[in-house]
Amino acid sequence: MIDETHASGRTSWVTSANGHATFPIQNLPLGVFSPDGGTRRGGTAIGDRIFDIGAALEAGLFSGAARDAAEAASGRTLNPLLEAGPAARQALRRRIGEILDAKSAGSTKIQTIANRLLHAAEHCTVHLPARVGDFTDFFAGIHHAHTAGTISRPENPLMPNYKYVPVAYHSRASSVRPSGGSVRRPNGQRKPPEQAAPDFGPCRNLDYELELGVWIGPGNEIGNPIPIAEASRHIAGFCLLNDWSARDIQAWESQPLGPFLSKSLSTFVSPWIVTTEALAPFRLAQPPRPAGDPAPLPHLNDPADQAHGCFDIDFEVLLLTPKMRATSATPHVLSRSNAQMLYWTVAQMVAHHTSNGCNLQPGDMFGSGTVSGTTPGSEGCLLEMTRGGRNPVSLPNGETRTYLVDGDEVIFRGTARRNGYVSIGFGECRGTVTEALPLV
Ligand code: MN
């Protein structure tokens, strides 16, 4: 639903929000932050400020459904708000938009307490917005699946189930972390083809994976699948997700039960939940499947989802090496991609995930799978970009990379754009590789 919260003419009395590339008043993403020395609490990013939902509650700025939603969004995690579902998020979005609107009734009075309601984002720590109960990583980037498959099985890159099943594996929730930290190069079992037996040591092929992250809303009781027509009720919002991947460990451990330690070392997410409501103007029809592909089975095929279930979100992957940092060079754009490259919609993922009766819970996280395009410069990971480490990537300063080196910082950015609407951003998902622990 597109409403007044998306109006391109709307401006905020928080003047840094007007023209802000990431957090204009049309975005209003939800997160959990702590101001300098303060406790964790729910907030909304607006320009270069964070709006304190609890402080606005105390000031009496919410009533009715918006008040209930603000209470659910003011604590140490947003799980209660995710559980409350779309009506609560919509009421909260409407009212926060009104509070921050430059022209709304009451705006002059509200501005007199601005110092209580707002914190400078640069003086705040932004945390994981919710407690993640389960993390499921899909494989819906078909061009990634195809290229990665070609490297290991040139004659048969896509498995026969790929176009029928939104393939996924159950990954680790405990190691989902917010953007900004470091990821330690893991030690693990490596067995290159030329080696007769594996050994244990630092990962040599450390990679990132550019993915769209999904925050799950209310969820379902065990035994009660979510029909695809109702799936959107359970999709609360989105983030950028870096599924750090240790390719050499992955190659050795993944048969027959899939990746394990090669993925659970850490998963980074951008910390703001860009809500499903904020993304309403940026929906598209799911691109038609290529001629000859099977139609989705009936339980995964919903006309409304096919008509509106895809999102136009541009992604960028940037790399900042230690040498670039030392010379104050700007991060180098390694690749660009778009969420339209996903073969399965998020609603199809929800319907598939619950089709056996498996229960989703508020705060569960999905990764979309690596979002790669078809052209050079649109690969969502180094495995693809370097063709399994065979073709190094050249950087502007003369350095090359096959996989990540200690000190490398990987940065993801995401922006949703549409003519006639104000663009909204995801904020960054960034992380720096640090050296492996010494072997004992
Ligand atoms: Mn992944």
Side-chain angles (χ1 to χ4, degrees), residues 210-252:
L210 168 69
E211 304 195 22
L212 180 64
V214 181
W215 287 101
I216 295 297
N220 56 313
E221 292 297 323
I222 193 162
N224 290 307
I226 298 173
I228 187 156
E230 288 169 29
S232 63
R233 260 184 47 72
H234 301 276
I235 303 164
F238 298 85
C239 62
L240 305 172
L241 185 148
N242 184 348
D243 182 27
W244 298 104
S245 297
R247 298 299 185 195
D248 43 356
I249 299 170
Q250 184 179 357
W252 171 236

Side-chain angles (χ1 to χ4, degrees), residues 374-433:
T374 53
T375 52
S378 67
E379 303 92 342
C381 65
L382 288 170
L383 172 81
E384 286 175 73
M385 201 174 297
T386 67
R387 292 296 186 272
R390 286 193 283 275
N391 307 332
V393 178
S394 297
L395 304 176
N397 66 359
E399 289 183 277
T400 60
R401 285 291 182 277
T402 49
Y403 290 102
L404 297 169
V405 166
D406 292 345
D408 281 354
E409 184 170 23
V410 177
I411 305 159
F412 294 170
R413 293 179 187 151
T415 308
R417 297 185 178 86
R418 182 175 160 195
N419 280 342
Y421 289 88
V422 174
S423 300
I424 63 173
F426 280 71
E428 290 182 335
C429 178
R430 57 200 298 158
T432 305
V433 178

Side-chain angles (χ1 to χ4, degrees), residues 135 137-139 144 169 208-211 241-245 247 250 259 263 367-370:
F135 167 37
D137 197 27
F138 284 84
F139 196 46
H144 168 74
Y169 67 98
Y208 56 81
E209 288 190 340
L210 168 69
E211 304 195 22
L241 185 148
N242 184 348
D243 182 27
W244 298 104
S245 297
R247 298 299 185 195
Q250 184 179 357
K263 300 286 190 170
S368 62
T370 307

Side-chain angles (χ1 to χ4, degrees), residues 134-318:
D134 277 289
F135 167 37
T136 301
D137 197 27
F138 284 84
F139 196 46
I142 189 168
H143 308 303
H144 168 74
H146 193 276
T147 309
T150 302
I151 292 165
S152 45
R153 299 179 305 273
E155 65 298 334
N156 187 21
L158 283 185
M159 299 301 269
N161 59 6
Y162 190 85
K163 292 176 178 177
Y164 292 92
V165 177
V167 171
Y169 67 98
H170 190 198
S171 195
R172 188 79 194 161
S174 64
S175 50
V176 176
R177 310 302 309 153
S179 167
S182 58
V183 56
R184 189 182 287 285
R185 179 180 300 277
N187 292 314
Q189 287 199 23
R190 315 159 303 181
K191 201 200 85 60
E194 66 278 8
Q195 225 169 274
D199 59 6
F200 184 82
C203 166
R204 296 187 183 101
N205 299 349
L206 186 60
D207 200 355
Y208 56 81
E209 288 190 340
L210 168 69
E211 304 195 22
L212 180 64
V214 181
W215 287 101
I216 295 297
N220 56 313
E221 292 297 323
I222 193 162
N224 290 307
I226 298 173
I228 187 156
E230 288 169 29
S232 63
R233 260 184 47 72
H234 301 276
I235 303 164
F238 298 85
C239 62
L240 305 172
L241 185 148
N242 184 348
D243 182 27
W244 298 104
S245 297
R247 298 299 185 195
D248 43 356
I249 299 170
Q250 184 179 357
W252 171 236
E253 76 172 1
S254 292
Q255 303 299 330
L257 290 188
F260 182 43
L261 302 180
S262 54
K263 300 286 190 170
S264 59
L265 59 127
S266 256
T267 303
F268 280 21
V269 295
S270 58
W272 293 103
I273 302 177
V274 176
T275 62
T276 302
E277 291 71 41
L279 285 169
F282 310 101
R283 285 180 172 273
L284 296 170
Q286 178 67 0
R289 291 184 161 199
D293 281 14
L297 291 178
H299 70 296
L300 300 177
N301 202 349
D302 174 59
D305 180 48
Q306 290 298 308
H308 309 290
C310 175
F311 292 94
D312 189 359
I313 304 168
D314 286 325
F315 300 117
E316 273 184 348
V317 178
L318 302 97

Side-chain angles (χ1 to χ4, degrees), residues 13 35 59 72 95 143 227 364:
W13 53 265
R95 181 56 188 149
H143 308 303
D364 281 359

Side-chain angles (χ1 to χ4, degrees), residues 69-131:
E71 276 171 359
S74 57
R76 293 175 58 84
T77 76
L78 296 183
N79 295 78
L81 182 73
L82 296 173
E83 182 166 12
R89 284 195 315 274
Q90 283 155 15
L92 185 64
R93 173 177 171 83
R94 278 225 153 91
R95 181 56 188 149
I96 293 177
E98 242 169 44
I99 292 170
L100 296 171
D101 186 333
K103 296 188 192 104
S104 68
S107 131
T108 314
K109 193 168 163 213
I110 292 167
Q111 287 180 58
T112 62
I113 57 163
N115 61 341
R116 278 158 62 191
L117 302 178
L118 298 173
H119 304 266
E122 61 180 333
H123 296 140
C124 296
T125 307
V126 187
H127 307 281
L128 207 58
R131 196 179 51 255

